Amino acid sequence: MTKTKEHAGDTVSLVYQCRLPLSTHTVNHLADLLRRHLKAIRSRWRALPPGRIVVIVLAVLRHDQRLADMAGGNNISATTVRRWWDELITLLARQAPRLDRALKRIARQGGEVVLIDGTLIPTQRRTGRANRPNYSGKHHGHGLHVLALTDERGRMIWLSAARPGRTHDITAARRDHILAHLRATGLGALADSGFIGLDDNADAPVVITGFKSTRARKLTPAEKDANRALAAGRASVEHGFAHLKNWRILTKLRTDPAQATHLLRALLVLTNLDATTAR
């Protein structure tokens, strides 16, 4: 722990160190990405070298550190950290795969099915009529709805745009034309009961959702067994969300909801980059 500038009343600002659980390869990859960008825009000078800039931005993403705190610990302004943040998030989000390309890649690798699910990213409660759609009655809180696809091992391959929290899974899937993309690549998908009704083709369904009981009709033992088998096959998609949410900035998102899609897709790229290195 080190001291920085002294203030009135014999108080000082203390700077502490913390561990950043990411591989050196991830940091070097992002630093090289930033160097190429700076060369392309002919930016000759930054307050800190690219490697330090990357570490600061990663600390904000991984540990949800406040921008002002990171700025004070590095003797720079919060505005500068914000600018670096926006720059790196934009560069990473550009590398996120499109839906059609992600599915074609799975098909080329010999995959037969993908896993699909939706989740809510909690956000701060904002006042005003414009924020009312972000309230999720299912989760009893404000947030943004995101749809994700993973491979059979739980590796996340695609993320949808961030939508208001009240959006239903099946609504998001229809807006992204998930069914058409799956049929075009010859892949199937395993989903939970929230996607029942997405695929109405009873003869050759692409999306398998299992069975759902009603007040008038209970599930048979065979249907319960089928649901258990489906749940076991879908378990990996929860692992994919868990890896994504290791980035603690998603614990309660404070950024502008309009910018959330870029942030989530940047985190998707980072998650897959670090997972590839860890193997």
Side-chain angles (χ1 to χ4, degrees), residues 48-238:
L48 294 176
R52 288 279 300 279
I53 294 174
V54 166
V55 169
I56 291 172
V57 174
L58 287 175
V60 174
L61 296 173
R62 193 68 170 189
H63 294 302
D64 196 18
Q65 297 281 0
R66 302 301 191 268
L67 298 181
D69 293 340
M70 296 303 299
N74 291 276
N75 294 319
I76 51 179
S77 69
T79 303
T80 299
V81 177
R82 166 61 69 180
R83 185 168 62 250
W84 292 345
W85 154 282
D86 291 338
E87 195 170 43
L88 267 177
I89 292 299
T90 301
L91 291 174
L92 286 169
R94 289 174 184 169
Q95 297 185 341
R98 291 182 356 192
L99 176 57
D100 55 344
R101 294 177 181 176
L103 291 176
K104 288 178 181 177
R105 182 177 181 182
I106 294 295
R108 286 196 303 268
Q109 293 174 348
E112 296 181 351
V113 298
V114 294
L115 311 178
I116 181 172
D117 202 0
T119 190
L120 187 79
I121 304 299
T123 61
Q124 284 186 326
R125 182 181 183 275
R126 298 171 183 261
T127 58
R129 181 176 299 179
N131 190 55
R132 291 178 185 174
N134 290 335
Y135 182 81
S136 170
K138 176 181 177 181
H139 296 88
H140 304 289
H142 287 76
L144 297 173
H145 179 275
V146 180
L147 203 64
L149 293 180
T150 72
D151 60 16
E152 298 176 65
R153 295 174 296 176
R155 181 177 181 271
M156 200 164 285
I157 61 172
W158 175 79
L159 277 177
S160 73
R163 294 187 172 94
R166 70 180 183 184
T167 306
H168 197 277
D169 289 342
I170 193 172
T171 302
R174 285 170 175 162
R175 289 179 180 174
D176 288 319
H177 308 287
I178 297 290
L179 199 60
H181 285 291
L182 289 172
R183 293 191 188 279
T185 52
L187 295 174
L190 303 182
D192 61 17
S193 58
F195 294 87
I196 291 178
L198 176 62
D199 189 357
D200 295 328
N201 190 337
D203 297 328
V206 172
V207 180
I208 307 300
T209 57
F211 302 93
K212 189 174 183 180
S213 63
T214 64
R215 291 183 180 181
R217 179 184 175 278
K218 303 300 181 182
L219 295 182
T220 65
E223 290 172 338
K224 291 180 180 180
D225 290 340
N227 282 352
R228 280 191 288 268
L230 179 64
R234 289 188 59 260
S236 297
V237 71
E238 301 299 340

Side-chain angles (χ1 to χ4, degrees), residues 12 39 73 107 112 122 147 156 245 251 279:
V12 295
K39 184 177 181 180
E112 296 181 351
L147 203 64
M156 200 164 285
K245 292 180 180 180
T251 302
R279 288 176 186 170

